[in-house]
Amino acid sequence: MAEKMVEKVTRLMGNQEKIRNIAICAHIDHGKTTFSDNLLAGAGMISEELAGKQCVLDFHEDEIQRGITIDAANVSMVHTVNNQEHLINLIDTPGHVDFGGDVTRAMRAVDGCIVLCCAVEGIMPQTETVLRQALKERVKPILFINKVDRLIKELLLTPEQMQKRFVDIITNVNRLINEIAEKGYGEKWQVNVQDGSVCFGSAYSNWALSINYMKKKSITFKEVIDAYKTGDEEAIKQLRKKAPLHEVILDSVILHLPNPIIAQKYRIPKLWHGELESEEGKSLINCDPKGPLFFVITKVVVDPQAGEISAGRLFSGTMSKGLTAYLNKAKRTMRIQQVFIYNGAKKEIIDHVPSGNIIGVSGVQGAPGETITLQQTTPFEEITHLFDPVVTKAIEAKKPSDLPKLIEVLRMVQKEDPTIKIEINEETGEHLMSGMGELHLEVIENRIKTEKHVEVQTSPPIVVYRETIMRKSEEFMGKSPNKHNHLFFIVEPLEESVAMAIKSGNIPTGRIKKKDIELRDKLIELGMDSKQAASIKDVFNGNVFIEGTRGQVHIGEILEMVLDMFEDVMNNGPIAREPCIKVKVILTDCKLHEDAIHRGPAQLYPAVREGIRGAMMLARPMIFEPVQTLLFEAPVEYMGEISKLIANKRGQLLDMQQEGSTVEVKGKMPVGEMFGMSNNLRSATEGRGNSSVIDQSFEKLPEELQARIIKQIRERKGLTENQ
């Protein structure tokens, strides 16, 4: 009897040199899901006839209806090259910008990725974003140029023109890799046709080619052109047989992408900030199955039968069912009930799995980004997302009896998708849900109704603003309710270069416990004062806290409390209780009561809060609004309509380029003006235009709107004059 796929997977998962953990990522509609279907068909998991139409990895009802991938899906399969079997753990990721968080989290679990690029459209903004997400996690890319058939059939290009088009795409990808990757990786990870790290093909017709494969099977590109020129279905079928997509791509994956042992040597120093010379550090770097356990959750799915299933990457140790594990972020101990490996969309229960694999576990209730170990230790670096949630809706249950269920469902939603931010206000009974854009919130709202079966209604969307300061403040004193403790604060705007480094992930976020010389040098290099750089204690949401006191005996005892309140004020700024950005808070001096009883949280919290807010009010506080840079594409005749649309929405036109009969327009627009944008674009271009987000930032709200917007936010939040 033939060996089952599960048995193959179980047999191979112990041999780390034969494992490849990979993700597929690309711009929306460049053909990722069709592509991964064909890989599965090749591995014998689904029938070849259905591949590309079945969309096996889109198993949510709404993904099938909308025809887009919303969630990353995991699969394990076996591929043989030169009579050697390899285990490939694959994650298919979404392309739509509103679900970019899934891509970022998938990148933590994998070591290599296949960047998919459409031969007709070339490099798109989202291709650049996914590449940025991959390189930020030190994930090595290879390139697949898809939809080559369209160049022959629709654009009727000559072989020379096609070659030029390929060269342009490859040059662009290599330029991006060079620009984005850290020193030393840009040159090393260039893709090129000669060594087979670039493949061409058509996921729809299920064939692919690479130089290595063409030599091995003596196929020429001329055969491809002839097959499509004559439009002969039989010839295209022959191509599929001669150069099946899965074989060409997976050969390239095994040749060019690293196994876990190689990858962890350079990925761990970037992702884990513990002591590399310790037993844990060595085990992580060597991906040692006998070492201490390290498992990072990258996705949580709530399964109706099995409860919460946490999928992720096992970096070190062996995961077995029944283990008592420690969750480093949640700070609690839980028991692993079951261990799963993936077999398509199905999960297979097994007893134990060695390191280097992508697996699922049930029984632990941790959020994505959680590090699971046996004892408390340094967790992996937080998974940071490129964009922040900028659109919020208030959500409430239609029936009051559903309220407890709604709260539970919202907590579950936040776990399943950490880019959604849920705020449950116990006092006002208001539930707020923030996401990346209108589509994101619409999808989540829909899932609450259809999958979680809670009837809800939502408010019209509102924008999440940011608060910041424009100048350095004078010293401000916050005093405790018992008048025995005085803390003195100064706030000043954070240097632009430091803010950019935090946003790009070059400066780690979180509290800084021990002296970090490397961090200090980095900050000085970016233009921060050397004294300040040495006494930085917390980097939180793009703001920093500096402890600038001298000779204070009790500072160590109160620092954690001060940082708690610093983070609280940065989440709820002084003008309208919106989050703060680019603020540097310096504790300059403090006069504390000798007796520890009189300087507990009840005394210190109000003093710190009052001190930081008071200092910010002296530093000319301002509201900043979220601004998105969009790329619009439409036929040339709608050029005027698009620029009118941008102007009407308080936007500015950045760039306009015409390519053939289409025009690409770059514009920057405030998110607050963008509601209903997709409908306006459809009607302005008769349904022929589309847009995608390239970048997101916060910019100063025009002076004339400041007072009105602040008043609106305060009224919405029910804040009184002196609050």
Side-chain angles (χ1 to χ4, degrees):
M1 190 180 145
E3 190 181 20
K4 282 191 184 153
M5 181 56 85
V6 187
E7 289 160 1
K8 279 190 187 176
V9 172
T10 332
R11 183 166 45 85
L12 284 167
M13 65 191 189
N15 185 352
Q16 295 164 326
E17 287 174 10
K18 298 282 184 282
I19 298 175
R20 300 289 183 276
N21 296 313
I22 59 167
I24 299 173
C25 51
H27 185 76
I28 188 164
D29 279 345
H30 277 195
K32 287 183 302 301
T33 303
T34 312
F35 176 77
S36 40
D37 265 13
N38 286 329
L39 292 184
L40 288 187
M45 291 191 184
I46 56 175
S47 81
E48 296 211 2
E49 275 56 58
L50 288 174
K53 299 172 190 64
Q54 194 171 349
C55 295
V56 180
L57 299 183
D58 288 356
F59 28 83
H60 274 281
E61 196 50 43
D62 49 6
E63 298 189 287
I64 295 157
Q65 282 170 3
R66 290 174 190 264
I68 60 174
T69 302
I70 295 171
D71 290 310
N74 300 7
V75 176
S76 295
M77 52 188 158
V78 174
H79 178 66
T80 309
V81 177
N82 304 335
N83 299 327
Q84 290 196 333
E85 289 181 321
H86 290 75
L87 171 62
I88 293 180
N89 297 317
L90 166 82
I91 302 182
D92 177 32
T93 65
H96 196 288
V97 67
D98 281 9
F99 311 105
D102 253 38
V103 185
T104 310
R105 293 189 295 279
M107 289 306 167
R108 174 63 51 98
V110 298
D111 303 317
C113 67
I114 304 169
V115 177
L116 218 84
C117 181
C118 168
V120 181
E121 293 185 344
I123 297 288
M124 297 293 284
Q126 208 51 34
T127 323
E128 189 172 331
T129 308
V130 292
L131 205 51
R132 198 173 289 282
Q133 286 164 314
L135 294 167
K136 193 169 139 191
E137 295 272 335
R138 286 195 187 161
V139 168
K140 183 180 179 181
I142 60 172
L143 176 66
F144 174 63
I145 300 177
N146 193 16
K147 304 190 185 183
V148 171
D149 49 337
R150 288 183 55 194
L151 298 183
I152 310 166
K153 280 192 309 200
E154 295 170 27
L155 303 183
L156 308 172
L157 299 187
T158 62
E160 289 73 32
Q161 288 168 313
M162 281 168 68
Q163 194 172 355
K164 183 182 179 309
R165 169 106 18 149
F166 293 151
V167 169
D168 285 352
I169 292 176
I170 296 165
T171 313
N172 266 332
V173 169
N174 280 333
R175 178 181 56 80
L176 284 173
I177 293 174
N178 234 341
E179 281 172 15
I180 302 166
E182 298 155 273
K183 274 185 196 141
Y185 290 94
E187 305 81 58
K188 205 163 65 183
W189 284 356
Q190 297 284 301
V191 294
N192 91 50
V193 179
Q194 295 313 318
D195 66 5
S197 54
V198 177
C199 306
F200 313 90
S202 157
Y204 179 73
S205 305
N206 199 357
W207 61 268
L209 289 175
S210 67
I211 290 282
N212 305 0
Y213 200 84
M214 286 155 89
K215 283 179 189 157
K216 189 162 116 185
K217 296 280 170 98
S218 59
I219 307 169
T220 61
F221 207 68
K222 189 173 177 306
E223 288 178 49
V224 176
I225 296 174
D226 292 347
Y228 281 106
K229 276 222 170 119
T230 53
D232 180 358
E233 279 301 312
E234 200 42 53
I236 295 171
K237 268 198 175 141
Q238 279 308 313
L239 264 181
R240 201 173 301 181
K241 287 203 169 63
K242 266 187 157 180
L245 178 105
H246 74 277
E247 207 170 299
V248 177
I249 298 295
L250 297 181
D251 280 6
S252 183
V253 162
I254 286 163
L255 181 65
H256 291 285
L257 297 181
N259 62 38
I261 302 177
I262 294 172
Q264 285 186 204
K265 287 194 176 17
Y266 57 81
R267 285 192 73 208
I268 294 297
K270 163 91 173 160
L271 305 177
W272 187 69
H273 298 305
E275 200 51 64
L276 293 175
E277 287 304 309
S278 65
E279 186 197 348
E280 288 177 342
K282 285 178 179 159
S283 172
L284 279 168
I285 280 182
N286 298 323
C287 188
D288 184 357
K290 295 190 176 72
L293 182 80
F294 268 89
F295 175 66
V296 177
I297 301 177
T298 55
K299 185 170 180 61
V300 175
V301 181
V302 181
D303 186 292
Q305 282 88 32
E308 262 184 43
I309 292 179
S310 309
R313 165 78 174 261
L314 186 58
F315 283 98
S316 160
T318 296
M319 179 68 82
S320 319
K321 66 174 191 195
L323 269 185
T324 306
Y326 181 75
L327 281 66
N328 282 281
K329 267 197 197 141
K331 298 194 174 16
R332 55 186 178 156
T333 307
M334 296 186 109
R335 233 174 121 226
I336 307 277
Q337 285 168 357
Q338 283 173 329
V339 180
F340 303 94
I341 50 170
Y342 288 92
N343 176 11
K346 300 193 292 290
K347 292 177 290 293
E348 305 285 346
I349 300 175
I350 55 171
D351 286 343
H352 51 83
V353 181
S355 54
N357 284 286
I358 293 176
I359 56 169
V361 297
S362 68
V364 292
Q365 290 172 346
E370 177 67 85
T371 307
I372 295 183
T373 52
L374 295 178
Q375 277 99 27
Q376 186 174 358
T377 181
T378 314
F380 269 66
E381 187 181 272
E382 263 187 58
I383 299 177
T384 49
H385 297 107
L386 288 181
F387 297 149
D388 293 330
V390 286
V391 178
T392 302
K393 279 181 172 183
I395 182 167
E396 55 186 62
K398 280 190 181 164
K399 292 193 269 196
S401 58
D402 276 345
L403 189 64
K405 191 174 174 192
L406 176 68
I407 292 182
E408 192 184 315
V409 163
L410 288 175
R411 292 210 162 110
M412 224 145 76
V413 162
Q414 183 164 14
K415 271 197 172 163
E416 291 188 347
D417 183 352
T419 41
I420 282 271
K421 209 165 130 216
I422 302 287
E423 212 176 302
I424 298 174
N425 191 329
E426 306 285 344
E427 291 167 21
T428 59
E430 186 182 42
H431 311 314
L432 296 178
M433 180 165 82
S434 311
M436 300 297 195
E438 274 183 291
L439 173 67
H440 195 190
L441 290 180
E442 200 182 302
V443 165
I444 298 292
E445 191 183 328
N446 205 11
R447 285 194 182 172
I448 290 175
K449 289 177 187 163
T450 55
E451 292 181 13
K452 314 275 195 261
H453 311 295
V454 180
E455 277 305 309
V456 290
Q457 56 198 35
T458 53
S459 69
I462 41 186
V463 179
V464 186
Y465 291 92
R466 291 286 187 272
E467 298 186 19
T468 191
I469 49 173
M470 304 311 283
R471 60 170 184 234
K472 186 174 175 175
S473 72
E474 291 154 24
E475 194 169 61
F476 189 88
M477 179 180 79
K479 55 176 180 281
S480 58
N482 65 9
K483 312 276 190 294
H484 290 316
N485 303 288
H486 301 103
L487 291 99
F488 298 86
F489 292 97
I490 286 179
V491 295
E492 55 183 70
L494 187 62
E495 291 85 350
E496 193 57 42
S497 53
V498 178
M500 290 304 291
I502 294 173
K503 189 182 172 188
S504 65
N506 288 340
I507 287 181
T509 52
R511 297 186 182 183
I512 294 145
K513 298 276 195 294
K514 52 181 196 282
K515 272 218 159 126
D516 190 335
I517 308 293
E518 196 183 327
L519 175 68
R520 185 198 67 191
D521 295 346
K522 241 186 222 172
L523 289 167
I524 295 171
E525 204 177 301
L526 291 166
M528 194 184 255
D529 176 74
S530 57
K531 266 191 194 142
Q532 287 188 352
S535 38
I536 190 163
K537 289 289 177 251
D538 194 358
V539 178
F540 180 75
N541 289 356
N543 306 289
V544 301
F545 181 88
I546 287 162
E547 190 268 294
T549 61
R550 283 192 195 151
Q552 284 290 341
V553 188
H554 305 298
I555 194 77
E557 296 166 35
I558 67 158
L559 193 59
E560 286 297 309
M561 290 187 270
V562 175
L563 294 181
D564 285 345
M565 261 313 104
F566 157 70
E567 291 179 5
D568 182 70
V569 176
M570 291 304 110
N571 279 330
N572 307 285
I575 339 177
R577 302 293 176 272
E578 293 284 275
C580 300
I581 50 164
K582 297 184 186 171
V583 177
K584 187 197 289 182
V585 176
I586 306 160
L587 173 66
T588 52
D589 198 4
C590 50
K591 294 188 175 124
L592 301 170
H593 195 281
E594 279 303 308
D595 198 338
I597 292 173
H598 295 297
R599 48 166 202 265
Q603 301 301 333
L604 278 180
Y605 280 179
V608 177
R609 195 187 303 131
E610 181 197 335
I612 298 177
R613 282 195 178 144
M616 283 182 74
M617 290 310 283
L618 299 175
R620 200 160 157 246
M622 279 280 174
I623 289 277
F624 271 43
E625 61 178 346
V627 174
Q628 288 187 336
T629 309
L630 291 133
L631 181 75
F632 297 92
E633 285 178 298
V636 165
E637 56 266 33
Y638 300 110
M639 189 152 69
E641 292 296 324
I642 290 181
S643 46
K644 209 184 306 172
L645 185 70
I646 295 174
N648 288 346
K649 293 195 174 286
R650 227 168 22 89
Q652 63 189 87
L653 197 80
L654 300 176
D655 185 26
M656 194 180 272
Q657 287 188 351
Q658 190 176 332
E659 256 191 47
S661 59
T662 58
V663 66
E664 286 188 356
V665 182
K666 250 189 209 173
K668 202 191 239 179
M669 292 151 86
V671 174
E673 305 282 337
M674 278 168 54
F675 298 125
M677 168 81 191
S678 43
N679 291 340
N680 298 353
L681 180 66
R682 269 199 291 274
S683 50
T685 60
E686 294 171 12
R688 293 170 69 192
N690 62 30
S691 68
S692 48
V693 179
I694 307 175
D695 196 13
Q696 178 186 307
S697 57
F698 288 90
E699 294 188 5
K700 187 176 154 194
L701 184 72
E703 294 278 351
E704 61 273 18
L705 295 174
Q706 288 271 347
R708 194 183 89 213
I709 296 283
I710 291 171
K711 187 166 173 251
Q712 265 178 16
I713 304 173
R714 291 185 68 90
E715 276 173 6
R716 192 183 79 226
K717 294 187 176 180
L719 297 170
T720 54
E721 276 301 303
N722 53 5
Q723 255 183 317

